[in-house]
Structure formats: C-alpha cells, structure tokens
C-alpha cells in the first residue's frame, strides 16, 4: 500500500532523485563512531536537532490546551497537567527539553570551536549557528512566563530589568516585550506567547534551513 502511494507521488513530483541525493550522501570516516571513538562529539548537532523536533511537536500539543490570558493561563496548565491523558508526560518533555537543548547546543558549539570548524569556508554557518543559539535562549526566556505562576512572574520581572539596563534603547525594548513600562500583566503574557509560538519559531526554522543547506553545500568539517 505504501509503495503504491509512493509510486503515485513519485510519478507526479519525481521525488526519487531528491531522496537518493539525501540518502546516498557519503559521511566522512572521522565522524563514524565505529572507527573513531572521538566521532561521538560530532553527534551533538544531530542530538540538538532531535531535541528541537521534540520541542516543536510537544509545544504544538501544549498549545491545544493552553489559554494565553492572565485569568485562565495557570488553570489551563493545571488542567493539562492533571486531567489530559499523557499531558503530564508531554509537558515534562517540553519542560526538561528546554534545558537539555541548551546544554546540547552549548556542547555542539564547543565542538565546532575546538575543532576549528568555524574557519573558512564556514564562517557564515558559524554566524547562523550563533543566531540559532540566541533564538533558543529567547524561546526558553519567553516560555518561562507562560505557566503564569509566581516563580515565572518574578523571573520575568528580573529579565525585564536586565533588558531595561541596555544602553540607549533599554526602556523601549522593555516596553516592546512587556507591553507596559511598569507592570508585568496581560499584555506581557500575550506578547511572550506570540513571540514564543510564532515569531521565534519562524526565525528558528528559517535559520535551521540555512544551517543545513550550508552544511550540505560545504560538507562536514574535517578532524582536528
């Protein structure tokens, strides 16, 4: 049945050459753990991407139940956690994955730096990778407020104070993020939700696409 569906799609879109190009791509020997134990450090990027996919899928599930307003936000999280089937598991995956993806990305960045993989001709890919790192930090920051509990509230206040300390444009950045210069309220929650669910994921997907295209074009960097 699956073969018939594939043949039907392939006949119209000619996807086999594209699939073969991806599947038959040769992997350098130095990144094969079967030949070199140190090759495991080259897995950090793939693991980061794997966790990112889990974050996206679990986040899509969470948005089906989350209500982004200050009256119902905490109650919707409680309902998801305690009443929805597998809700506690999915939220736990999203919660811990948010920390784990930063750890894996940090290890991946260290590997790229210490193996000199940021050098010519991969300078632009290094810049894109750093931007992805900051996007991930932004996702963690904006997602922290969404449960709308006291810990999230006070942590966000501290974050906004740090933003306000930015020279020249600090106050404007704070108002842009919080919606108000003085309080963390309904506008703040709405804006953080929009940034977390729409703006940052859109930027992340675009940067990831550019990252993978450049890796495909330039190949995996050589050993140290």
């Amino acid at each position: 049945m699956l073969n018939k569906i594939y043949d039907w799609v392939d006949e119209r879109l000619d996807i086999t050459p594209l699939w073969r190009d991806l599947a038959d791509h040769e992997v350098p020997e130095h990144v094969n753990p079967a030949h070199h134990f140190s090759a495991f450090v080259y897995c950090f990027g793939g693991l980061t991407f794997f966790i990112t996919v889990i974050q996206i899928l679990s986040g899509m599930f969470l948005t089906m139940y989350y209500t982004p307003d200050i009256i119902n936000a905490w109650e919707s999280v409680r309902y998801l956690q305690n009443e929805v089937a597998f809700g506690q598991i999915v939220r736990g995956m999203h919660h811990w994955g948010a920390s784990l993806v930063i750890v894996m990305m940090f290890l991946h960045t260290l590997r790229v730096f210490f193996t000199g993989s940021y050098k010519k001709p991969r300078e632009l890919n290094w810049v894109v990778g750093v931007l992805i790192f900051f996007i991930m930090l932004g996702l963690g920051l904006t997602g922290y407020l969404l449960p709308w509990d006291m810990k999230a509230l006070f942590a966000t206040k501290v974050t906004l104070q740090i933003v306000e300390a930015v020279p020249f444009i600090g106050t404007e950045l704070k108002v842009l993020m919080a919606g108000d210069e003085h309080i963390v309220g309904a506008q703040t929650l709405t804006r953080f939700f929009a940034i977390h669910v729409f703006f940052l994921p859109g930027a992340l997907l675009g940067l990831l696409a550019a990252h993978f295209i450049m890796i495909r074009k330039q190949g995996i960097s050589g050993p140290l």
Side-chain angles (χ1 to χ4, degrees), residues 46-84:
L47 290 172
T48 302
F49 177 68
F50 176 72
I51 300 170
T52 300
V53 172
I54 293 177
Q55 289 298 96
I56 293 173
L57 295 177
S58 59
M60 292 169 64
F61 177 84
L62 297 180
T63 56
M64 296 174 65
Y65 295 93
Y66 180 73
T67 306
D69 67 67
I70 59 175
I71 304 299
N72 299 302
W74 186 88
E75 179 60 26
S76 66
V77 173
R78 187 208 63 79
Y79 175 79
L80 169 70
Q81 179 104 356
N82 300 320
E83 306 295 336
V84 177

Side-chain angles (χ1 to χ4, degrees), residues 113-129:
F113 179 78
F114 284 111
T115 58
S117 302
Y118 59 89
K119 298 178 181 179
K120 185 180 179 180
R122 298 178 175 84
E123 304 97 327
L124 184 58
N125 210 4
W126 168 262
V127 173
V128 171

